[in-house]
Amino acid sequence: MRIGLIDADSKIPNFALLQLSAYHKAQGDEVILNPKNASEVDKVYASVLFSWNKDRAEALRSMFPNIAFGGTGYDLNTELPCEVQKMRPDYALYTREDIAGRIGGIMTTNTRVKKAETIVNAGLGYTHRGCVRRCGFCVIKDKKGEGDLHRVAELKDLMNPKSNVLILLNNNFTASPSVMEEIAEIRERNLIVDLCSGIDIRTMTPEIAQGLQSIKHLRSLHYAFDLCEHESMVVAGIKTLSRFIKVYRHMCFVLTGYNTSFQEDMHRVRVLLDLGVSPYIMLYNRLGDIRDRHYQRFINSRIYKVCPNFDDYHNWAKSRHLYFVTQQLDLAAA
């Protein structure tokens, strides 16, 4: 049987597709990633991570009549069968070129290829699923198979023999009761880890911070400051973590457009900047309004480093003949 696996929007190898590939290859099936037409395959699975891609994915039905959809962006109630979830990932599914084409940002071709090679050779997956939080804006609490924090695998089950890099997808790594044991194992195995979903800065303790300092990280440590009511816990957590890991290695995601005013969004950013932490705006509504989108650009592109006050952003853009920006800001103010 020929099985098609379609990755609608992952930036890194899709874990569910890696497990599906392993399962079907174990049954003797041929697996094809992102088939071009129905003549190549007998059955197709498509994974959609982001809801805004759902309609585009649905259009695949006209090409592949025998297609099954899953993923957080498609249906929160769909999960892989137990026998598939038990499979070790098939790390042969993606090539370096598959990943390189999905990496955004401004960089040289050589840098893009090296980054893709690191990702495709990395181990990937969850040791725990679920979260201790019940945030209104987050789907984890509602997703079948996630819910409460629970163990699903051991680190050794996720290792890719091609490298000692591990991309850990845990929804809340630092809230796990076994976090210190996992940190110790990461250190003992000499792994370079990417805590892909970030850490919960509100659970930070000196013990956890020192543990995080003791292991190697693929990139910056990132966490979130979602609501103003979390300020005291977030600030305390950042100060604790900063005693062991310098703030230039931190990044904080700032959720905007969800139960906060624009002034509250700016306040949270100022708090982070005062602490020396780099903020990164995440829009709850992906499109947001015009002002929200420009503030996102102002922060995420680090324009604030040359134009510290957002109120001056209009004139700054105008002085650089960025007419589209100024027209949009004029529209926002109208």
Side-chain angles (χ1 to χ4, degrees):
M1 193 172 184
R2 299 169 302 168
I3 303 297
L5 301 177
I6 296 179
D7 184 344
D9 48 15
S10 304
K11 300 299 182 185
I12 59 177
N14 183 294
F15 185 62
L17 296 186
L18 294 182
Q19 290 187 308
L20 277 167
S21 179
Y23 176 78
H24 279 284
K25 285 182 179 179
Q27 309 307 307
D29 297 329
E30 178 186 358
V31 175
I32 300 169
L33 180 65
N34 297 321
K36 303 300 181 187
N37 56 70
S39 65
E40 295 182 69
V41 291
D42 301 303
K43 181 174 178 57
V44 176
Y45 301 90
S47 175
V48 185
L49 295 183
F50 302 107
S51 58
W52 52 82
N53 291 323
K54 183 175 181 178
D55 290 342
R56 182 168 61 87
E58 279 281 6
L60 293 169
R61 288 191 189 277
S62 61
M63 184 183 301
F64 303 104
N66 191 12
I67 188 170
F69 291 96
T72 303
Y74 189 85
D75 182 3
L76 297 179
N77 295 313
T78 300
E79 63 177 344
L80 295 175
C82 291
E83 60 270 24
V84 177
Q85 293 188 46
K86 293 176 182 178
M87 299 300 295
R88 290 175 62 90
D90 172 22
Y91 290 123
L93 180 62
Y94 289 79
T95 66
R96 180 181 66 184
E97 289 69 29
D98 291 329
I99 299 302
R102 295 167 177 263
I103 296 175
I106 300 172
M107 64 188 77
T108 65
T109 299
N110 188 49
T111 299
R112 192 180 306 276
V113 168
K114 286 185 176 179
K115 186 173 182 179
E117 188 163 13
T118 297
I119 292 171
V120 82
N121 289 338
L124 179 74
Y126 302 81
T127 57
H128 289 79
R129 283 186 179 268
C131 184
V132 297
R133 306 294 181 188
R134 289 292 182 270
C135 302
F137 52 82
C138 182
V139 301
I140 296 300
K141 65 184 184 304
D142 303 315
K143 187 176 178 182
K144 189 174 181 180
E146 302 281 331
D148 293 334
L149 191 66
H150 60 285
R151 187 114 198 178
V152 293
E154 302 294 328
L155 284 169
K156 61 182 176 60
D157 300 325
L158 308 177
M159 298 305 301
N160 187 336
K162 294 180 181 177
S163 80
N164 67 333
V165 176
L166 176 62
I167 300 173
L168 205 54
L169 303 176
N170 293 22
N171 307 119
N172 196 328
F173 178 74
T174 50
S176 165
S178 59
V179 60
M180 294 311 300
E181 288 82 357
E182 287 198 77
I183 287 175
E185 186 176 353
I186 289 168
R187 184 171 59 247
E188 289 163 8
R189 290 181 178 273
N190 194 32
L191 300 180
I192 301 171
V193 68
D194 178 5
L195 301 176
C196 191
S197 296
I199 58 173
D200 187 341
I201 197 67
R202 289 181 282 164
T203 66
M204 191 54 54
T205 65
E207 182 185 27
I208 294 175
Q210 189 170 26
L212 291 171
Q213 179 196 40
S214 72
I215 60 178
K216 300 173 184 176
H217 299 272
L218 185 63
R219 55 183 178 142
S220 62
L221 274 175
H222 44 283
Y223 41 81
F225 186 1
D226 297 316
L227 298 169
C228 285
E229 64 198 59
H230 300 160
E231 182 173 339
S232 61
M233 290 182 290
V234 168
V235 170
I238 291 173
K239 288 181 176 178
T240 298
L241 183 62
S242 300
R243 288 167 48 195
F244 300 91
I245 297 177
K246 300 296 185 183
V247 289
Y248 72 83
R249 294 175 59 196
H250 299 205
M251 177 178 284
C252 185
F253 293 112
V254 179
L255 180 69
T256 64
Y258 179 87
N259 285 354
T260 57
S261 66
F262 188 69
Q263 288 68 34
E264 288 173 325
D265 296 339
M266 289 195 295
H267 170 76
R268 285 179 290 145
V269 166
R270 283 195 299 269
V271 168
L272 294 170
L273 292 176
D274 287 345
L275 291 168
V277 175
S278 295
Y280 191 90
I281 299 291
M282 301 287 285
L283 293 176
Y284 176 67
N285 178 341
R286 189 172 67 97
L287 297 178
D289 66 26
I290 293 170
R291 183 174 60 172
D292 288 338
R293 281 181 279 147
H294 279 294
Y295 190 62
Q296 181 185 43
R297 178 176 183 265
F298 177 75
I299 296 300
N300 295 358
S301 297
R302 304 293 182 255
I303 294 171
Y304 63 83
K305 291 190 174 183
V306 294
C307 174
N309 194 330
F310 184 64
D311 290 338
D312 299 326
Y313 176 49
H314 184 286
N315 289 333
W316 178 88
K318 189 174 181 180
S319 71
R320 283 153 181 78
H321 306 289
L322 301 177
Y323 293 117
F324 174 75
V325 172
T326 56
Q327 288 168 359
Q328 291 290 303
L329 287 169
D330 286 338
L331 182 60

